Amino acid sequence: MAQSAADKQYDAVIVGAGFAGMYMLHRLRGQGLTVRVFEAGDGVGGTWYWNRYPGARCDVESLEYQYGFSDEIQRGWTWTERYAAQPEILRYQNYVADKLDLRRDIQFETRVASATYDERDALWVVDTEKGERVKARFCVMATGCLSAARVPDFEGVGDFKGEKYHTGGWPHEGVDFTGKRVAVIGTGSSAVQSIPLIAEQAKHLTVFQRTANFTLPAGNRPLARDEIQKTKETLLEDRKRARTTNGGIICFEYNERLVEEMTAEERYRELDDRWHLGGFAFLGSFGDMMVTPDANDVAAEYARSEMRKAVKKPEIADLLLPNDHPVGVKRLCLDTHYLETFNEPHVDLVDVRSTPISKITAKGVLVGDKEYEVDAIVFATGFDAMTGAILGVDIVGKKGEKLRDKWAAGPRTYLGLGSAGFPNLFFITGPGSPSVLSNMIVSIEQHVDWISDCIGRLTAGNIRSIEARPDAEDEWVAHVNETAAATLYPQANSWYMGANIPGKPRIFMPYAGGVGVYGEKLAEVANADYAGFALGA
Ligand code: NA7
């Protein structure tokens, strides 16, 4: 597209208006910068705007899954449940957008098509799919880690005559499955959350499972007035503490003892107490749970024995019990009546590990030579995680290099924040940062604060550009890989590894060193005049 004198110019363009884009806008605007946010949806919310499937719920506790940068904002909002459901989270985001008057700088229903770096002027030229063009000194990708929804490339998907849904793009008006025969493909978090509710409506439900997942009891409940009040008094301090922890969460402590230092009775107590507390506390049962196979086995065995109790038919329990990966290395799912749903007479489980889905037909799902006829198919098949949404934009850096080409063998970033050859381009919770292994809001705030301080210092110092140095990036990529290799994470076919997308490089994408350690590194880099970055006058 030809550039014209009328192209609008901003100090910064932000792509995405979820939790990350909203806070980034607030911080940059607070510095007096001009900012344009582009958002594909017709409202704020990101993940929580799109994922409206029945049962969609956060599995980080709501008292921790909220912004921690403003006392006024947190005091003005009251959560109702231990784990907030999607509509409540979306209402919260809209409350924040109102409070900060964010929408005036957000252009909705606009998808960014490309972002191209103009080296001469040190400007990003951003084109939207609607054919608009703007320019900006800085471009911030606030596109989320799980926002490029993906339906596998099943033969015949287009032939199906019934209704088709993906959990990550659910109709806003909802779906009524009453009296219908429904197929759910996938058994990740979205399936685990939605299956019990779909089963309540459907005449018949068939679940197609490729990998059995570990599910832990969520233990959801209404919040008591006094715990809400107590959190309000301490939230800002709590958030500072959360940033020093491994997962950005303070609602439970990690047990630091190694499994071999504990008696059988002590191990059982630790696992059992955490299991019944609900949520991810179970992950903190032993200091070596995520690094030592023996320690992990103890926890996995306990989890399987508890899961088995919920399922009446032993042959169904055998299918539902995970046995091909350590516990916690694929994203754990929080369960509210998921396992029990398979006790219902109108719910079937089909193993598509032993015999994969061969095609989707006009009437349903074909597995081997057996056709399952259904009225609706729900694809709970996940996302092109961590890189999908970033590379969904055609990003072109210095010397015409495309980010898609640079990352063809896996994402390469310095600190998960930037990539060499792409000056003034920032990723919020990008690959190579703790991101999906942590409380996303804590990691988002950590990144947004760092990026806005950085932009502030560049602007004040009249510095035109900042760019990751190739040597620093190489070292960081190696460090991210070594850190992952010292854990059990690479031992599963997970979306953390890109394993759910045929042909995607198998690289452990998040940084497994923990939010606290990572935060220290971020501070060290900033305090050393952005060591590892090249600053251009
Ligand atoms: P996930 O966790 O990626 O789950 C996707 C599910 O779909 C998972 O069970 C996959 O099995 C299954 N899948 C994917 N492709 C196929 C094919 N071709 N055949 C059969 N089954 C398939 O996505 P979710 O939306 O549930 O959760 C995403 C995150 O959102 C979650 O972790 C939370 O952070 C919130 P697989 O395990 O790959 O064998």
Side-chain angles (χ1 to χ4, degrees):
M1 186 198 296
Q3 295 188 27
S4 79
D7 292 339
K8 288 195 193 117
Q9 189 166 322
Y10 299 92
D11 293 314
V13 158
I14 298 169
V15 187
F19 272 112
M22 289 168 63
Y23 181 40
M24 190 81 241
L25 168 61
H26 173 62
R27 284 297 310 263
L28 292 183
R29 223 165 54 177
Q31 292 181 21
L33 301 186
T34 55
V35 187
R36 192 70 173 160
V37 182
F38 292 109
E39 164 56 51
D42 70 2
V44 297
T47 290
W48 302 106
Y49 173 92
W50 298 104
N51 285 267
R52 298 174 188 234
Y53 59 84
R57 194 176 282 284
C58 188
D59 43 21
V60 171
E61 302 199 14
S62 41
L63 294 176
E64 299 211 58
Y65 195 76
Q66 60 179 322
Y67 287 125
F69 66 83
S70 158
D71 205 35
E72 190 190 336
I73 285 178
Q74 69 95 7
R75 282 182 188 278
W77 184 264
T78 300
W79 296 101
T80 62
E81 290 180 274
R82 180 178 178 190
Y83 302 97
Q86 175 272 335
E88 187 172 11
I89 300 174
L90 191 58
R91 276 199 302 279
Y92 168 77
Q93 291 172 301
N94 276 287
Y95 151 77
V96 175
D98 287 342
K99 201 89 186 144
L100 300 175
D101 188 17
L102 295 179
R103 289 187 201 82
R104 66 186 152 91
D105 290 313
I106 306 176
Q107 186 170 325
F108 293 105
E109 296 182 86
T110 308
R111 206 171 266 281
V112 171
S114 65
T116 307
Y117 191 63
D118 170 345
E119 279 184 70
R120 197 196 60 191
D121 294 335
L123 287 176
W124 280 96
V125 180
V126 176
D127 289 322
T128 73
E129 287 184 353
K130 289 182 169 167
E132 294 153 282
R133 168 168 287 185
V134 302
K135 296 178 181 173
R137 174 76 63 216
F138 301 101
C139 180
V140 184
M141 300 298 287
T143 39
C145 295
L146 292 156
S147 34
R150 176 190 163 264
V151 171
D153 196 11
F154 293 121
E155 187 191 332
V157 172
D159 300 341
F160 182 60
K161 296 277 186 278
E163 303 158 35
K164 278 186 294 207
Y165 306 99
H166 190 288
T167 49
W170 204 256
H172 289 197
E173 63 281 12
V175 180
D176 184 2
F177 290 113
T178 307
K180 295 193 172 142
R181 298 164 302 165
V182 183
V184 173
I185 301 178
T187 49
S189 290
S190 305
V192 167
Q193 290 186 337
S194 59
I195 281 169
L197 296 172
I198 294 174
E200 277 179 16
Q201 288 188 339
K203 183 167 85 182
H204 193 274
L205 173 64
T206 312
V207 176
F208 296 86
Q209 173 188 273
R210 183 164 71 181
T211 307
N213 263 322
F214 284 98
T215 62
L216 315 178
N220 192 29
R221 58 176 171 75
L223 287 171
R225 194 184 287 262
D226 59 339
E227 64 186 317
I228 296 171
Q229 200 47 44
K230 201 161 148 260
T231 305
K232 285 188 196 293
E233 298 310 321
T234 57
L235 187 98
L236 268 49
E237 283 307 310
D238 290 347
R239 184 50 58 87
K240 283 189 200 146
R241 192 151 64 83
R243 281 197 189 187
T244 66
T245 67
N246 192 44
I249 287 176
I250 56 164
C251 64
F252 65 85
E253 300 280 337
Y254 283 80
N255 171 25
E256 287 180 4
R257 292 174 72 197
L258 307 182
V259 81
E260 64 182 22
E261 298 168 352
M262 299 162 72
T263 65
E265 170 58 23
E266 284 171 333
R267 292 171 184 176
Y268 180 80
R269 272 275 59 82
E270 196 70 43
L271 292 165
D272 198 56
D273 288 351
R274 287 168 185 272
W275 183 270
H276 293 291
L277 196 60
F280 292 141
F282 186 76
L283 268 181
S285 297
F286 314 127
D288 49 351
M289 184 162 154
M290 299 306 289
V291 292
T292 313
D294 287 350
N296 194 282
D297 283 348
V298 174
E301 204 39 60
Y302 172 89
R304 279 189 287 265
S305 69
E306 285 299 312
M307 288 171 69
R308 186 176 281 285
K309 289 180 192 166
V311 187
K312 287 192 183 138
K313 289 190 192 144
E315 66 280 13
I316 299 293
D318 286 344
L319 276 183
L320 286 168
L321 296 185
N323 53 25
D324 68 347
H325 60 276
V327 60
V329 302
K330 267 172 101 87
R331 181 63 144 74
L332 288 171
C333 305
L334 297 196
D335 173 351
T336 304
H337 302 304
Y338 171 69
L339 294 170
E340 289 85 351
T341 298
F342 293 93
N343 298 331
E344 301 282 336
H346 70 301
V347 178
D348 288 330
L349 181 65
V350 177
D351 170 25
V352 294
R353 163 64 55 86
S354 51
T355 312
I357 293 170
S358 27
K359 66 185 283 196
I360 305 294
T361 65
K363 292 183 184 164
V365 181
L366 189 70
V367 179
D369 55 7
K370 186 162 166 51
E371 188 176 32
Y372 295 85
E373 290 189 18
V374 292
D375 304 306
I377 301 179
V378 174
F379 293 94
T381 45
F383 301 85
D384 183 353
M386 306 205 63
T387 54
I390 293 173
L391 298 181
V393 175
D394 186 17
I395 299 176
V396 184
K398 281 165 49 180
K399 303 193 181 74
E401 184 182 27
K402 283 180 182 277
L403 193 65
R404 286 175 189 160
D405 294 336
K406 180 177 173 186
W407 286 10
R412 299 190 67 76
T413 69
Y414 178 40
L415 302 170
L417 280 166
S419 197
F422 297 82
N424 294 354
L425 175 73
F426 295 100
F427 311 114
I428 301 179
T429 64
S433 73
S435 62
V436 292
L437 297 181
S438 69
N439 175 352
M440 284 300 289
I441 309 234
V442 168
S443 284
I444 283 169
E445 289 187 340
Q446 190 182 45
H447 266 186
V448 169
D449 289 347
W450 193 95
I451 294 167
S452 50
D453 288 350
C454 172
I455 289 178
R457 279 162 68 177
L458 297 180
T459 312
N462 256 333
I463 297 166
R464 275 204 338 166
S465 68
I466 183 165
E467 177 189 350
R469 297 167 64 108
D471 55 341
E473 181 172 291
D474 289 347
E475 272 177 40
W476 184 252
V477 170
H479 175 61
V480 170
N481 288 337
E482 279 160 19
T483 308
T487 71
L488 301 175
Y489 280 114
Q491 294 192 15
N493 289 322
S494 64
W495 54 255
Y496 298 142
M497 296 285 292
N500 61 326
I501 307 287
K504 190 165 173 173
R506 297 287 199 273
I507 306 270
F508 189 76
M509 293 182 283
Y511 175 55
V515 173
V517 169
Y518 175 76
E520 285 169 19
K521 175 74 181 171
L522 287 188
E524 192 185 299
V525 166
N527 292 338
D529 288 329
Y530 297 100
F533 287 95
L535 305 182

